[in-house]
Amino acid sequence: MRPERQALLAAVVGVSPSIADEAVRTDEEAGFPQESFAHLRHIGALRATLPESLGGLGFGYGSDGAVDLLKLFQELGEASLAVARLYEAHVNALQLICRYGTRGLQIRCAEDATAGELFALWVTDPQDGAAVLRSCSGGWRLQGGKAFCSGAGVATRALITAATEHGTQMLVISLEPGTRVQPNTIKLSGMRAAITGSVDLAGMQVAEGALLGAVGDYLREPVFSAGAWRGSAGALGGLTALIKLHRAEICKRQRGADPHQQARFGKMVMAHETARLWLTQAALRACLEDESDAAIVAYVNLARLAVEDACLQAMRLTQRGLGLGAFILGHPAERICRDLATYLRQPAPDETLTDAARHYFHANLPGAD
Ligand SMILES: Cc1cc2nc3c(=O)[nH]c(=O)nc-3n(C[C@H](O)[C@H](O)[C@H](O)COP(=O)(O)OP(=O)(O)OC[C@H]3O[C@@H](n4cnc5c(N)ncnc54)[C@H](O)[C@@H]3O)c2cc1C
């Protein structure tokens, strides 16, 4: 591993206990994890996933970078799923900017990330009032808004999608803290510290230089689907936390010699390792892009579902093994299960499975060509 990336990972490990402590408080308050992001800013994590040519450490680039980024997400997810979710959006936005942006936009956004600005990624449209981009004198103007926006009111930069008459356009906007957040009518039971709300973009003026890529680029494969591996990597961290917690509690209650508890724990370790192995391969395929788009997308889609299955199985086993204790408000297993169950609700899981199945009906099986 490159020494600078090793140092950054060690720094993340160093601040993890503090991030984990804040996860308890911010869940109760449904508040943004300010201290955690102050730590991440301080150690340089907000710029770490930029390519080296833009002042980053190259997490997510090349095979070593893929594995290192997986470790980074796993570490953050273990400390706090909400922090991993917010960081995942930041990384996703920067990756898209580095792929599709003009050199000018790339440099500007890299400078912003280096200066500690937090990027969000808001692409989900509300049922009514989807974001629309219309040309006006001197540039563009937005109408409507976005839904399920993590970091709403805190992120100072956001990559958003908006409809134009020719298709979906990405753009990068700047926001003042506390502005444009709509009164929160939807309250999620988990991931409360990701402060996922609705954002009103009506009337926002957008300069030509804020447009990112061409119409339709956001949906271009393999990036559109394959990027999901990073969210799964955060979830894997939550799974790691849950399994360690389960083990500690079973040992504390001196129930580890019971064969039923042993069988449950064995299955949990299998689920965790299955998820980790799938994700390592998914990360490599997504970051290296050395297969066909269809093969990358199908593999990562299945990896995403394999991680979902592993997490759901582990939650069921921990709830059975710890009993009612895992449902007591304030018990860490209760919070992690609530966060994990919410985080796993990612778009279109049915389609993800059937699309991948259709691919493998006609293509070589992974590792068996
Ligand atoms: C913690 C958290 C933070 C988030 N933050 C952000 C954010 O910052 N920015 C952002 O843009 N989004 C965000 N999202 C939203 C996210 O990207 C997804 O849009 C959302 O999670 C999809 O949820 P869903 O389960 O309702 O999906 P759906 O896709 O509606 O799936 C629900 C079920 O319906 C099925 N289904 C889907 N479509 C059809 C159909 N046409 N016919 C029949 N069945 C169908 C699915 O397979 C699934 O079983 C966040 C979500 C979470 C959980």
Side-chain angles (χ1 to χ4, degrees):
M1 188 187 292
R2 295 210 186 147
E4 319 83 60
R5 288 211 290 263
Q6 199 162 14
L8 193 277
L9 277 170
V12 171
V13 171
V15 298
S16 286
S18 166
I19 294 177
D21 282 349
E22 195 183 32
V24 179
R25 298 194 300 277
T26 49
D27 170 59
E28 282 166 13
E29 300 157 1
F32 181 83
Q34 296 285 4
E35 282 174 29
S36 301
F37 275 90
H39 288 311
L40 294 179
R41 264 185 203 102
H42 181 68
I43 64 175
L46 295 194
R47 66 171 179 86
T49 65
L50 290 166
E52 287 164 14
S53 59
L54 285 167
L57 301 181
F59 277 89
Y61 293 90
S63 52
D64 290 351
V67 174
D68 293 347
L69 187 55
L70 173 58
K71 286 188 188 136
L72 180 50
F73 275 117
Q74 192 178 352
E75 192 62 46
L76 285 179
E78 186 176 341
S80 163
L81 280 162
V83 168
R85 164 71 198 112
L86 290 156
Y87 187 68
E88 176 215 335
H90 178 83
V91 173
N92 198 347
L94 291 178
Q95 289 246 340
L96 290 169
I97 290 161
C98 291
R99 174 174 287 256
Y100 296 117
T102 60
R103 189 69 187 155
L105 187 62
Q106 288 177 10
I107 291 171
R108 205 170 75 223
C109 293
E111 284 171 355
D112 284 352
T114 304
E117 306 288 353
L118 179 65
F119 283 70
L121 186 107
W122 298 334
V123 294
T124 307
D125 283 308
Q127 279 186 352
D128 299 313
V132 176
L133 189 64
R134 295 200 194 288
S135 66
C136 63
S137 61
W140 299 84
R141 182 174 294 148
L142 282 161
Q143 289 175 356
K146 303 304 279 187
F148 293 120
C149 302
S150 293
V154 179
T156 46
R157 302 286 182 273
L159 189 163
I160 65 162
T161 49
T164 70
E165 53 191 285
H166 304 294
T168 301
Q169 174 71 52
M170 290 185 281
L171 53 149
V172 181
I173 58 172
S174 297
L175 299 119
E176 290 299 318
T179 60
R180 295 197 170 266
V181 187
Q182 292 188 314
N184 208 352
T185 48
I186 297 172
K187 292 198 192 320
L188 296 176
S189 59
M191 298 295 276
R192 287 156 52 83
I195 53 166
T196 304
S198 300
V199 168
D200 180 7
L201 300 168
M204 184 182 273
Q205 289 280 134
V206 181
E208 187 73 30
L211 300 193
L212 172 60
V215 160
D217 275 351
Y218 176 68
L219 296 170
R220 255 180 35 202
E221 299 289 16
V223 176
F224 175 66
S225 298
W229 81 265
R230 293 184 294 264
S232 298
L236 174 66
L239 179 59
T240 309
L242 191 63
I243 291 182
K244 287 185 180 174
L245 191 71
H246 180 97
R247 178 176 59 186
E249 186 125 346
I250 294 291
C251 292
K252 196 172 102 192
R253 294 191 201 173
Q254 298 188 327
R255 290 181 173 177
D258 174 69
H260 300 285
Q261 295 291 7
Q262 288 171 350
R264 263 191 290 272
F265 188 60
K267 284 183 184 168
M268 289 175 81
V269 176
M270 280 163 63
H272 182 268
E273 187 60 0
T274 303
R276 195 187 66 82
L277 292 170
W278 264 105
L279 267 184
T280 305
Q281 289 300 317
L284 289 169
R285 284 168 159 88
C287 295
L288 294 179
E289 291 184 43
D290 56 0
E291 293 179 350
S292 71
D293 291 359
I296 296 168
V297 169
Y299 192 93
V300 176
N301 275 347
L302 290 188
R304 187 188 125 186
L305 297 177
V307 174
E308 183 192 344
D309 271 355
C311 293
L312 292 173
Q313 193 195 3
M315 283 192 279
R316 186 177 59 76
L317 290 166
T318 218
Q319 288 170 346
R320 184 76 181 265
L322 300 186
L324 207 49
F327 292 84
I328 295 172
L329 289 177
H331 192 292
E334 186 279 329
R335 175 175 46 81
I336 293 171
C337 285
R338 193 160 34 80
D339 282 349
L340 201 48
T342 308
Y343 195 12
L344 292 175
R345 290 307 110 228
Q346 293 302 315
D350 299 335
E351 198 183 349
T352 300
L353 177 61
T354 52
D355 281 358
R358 266 202 307 278
H359 170 81
Y360 286 115
F361 267 126
H362 304 290
N364 292 328
L365 296 175
D369 46 0

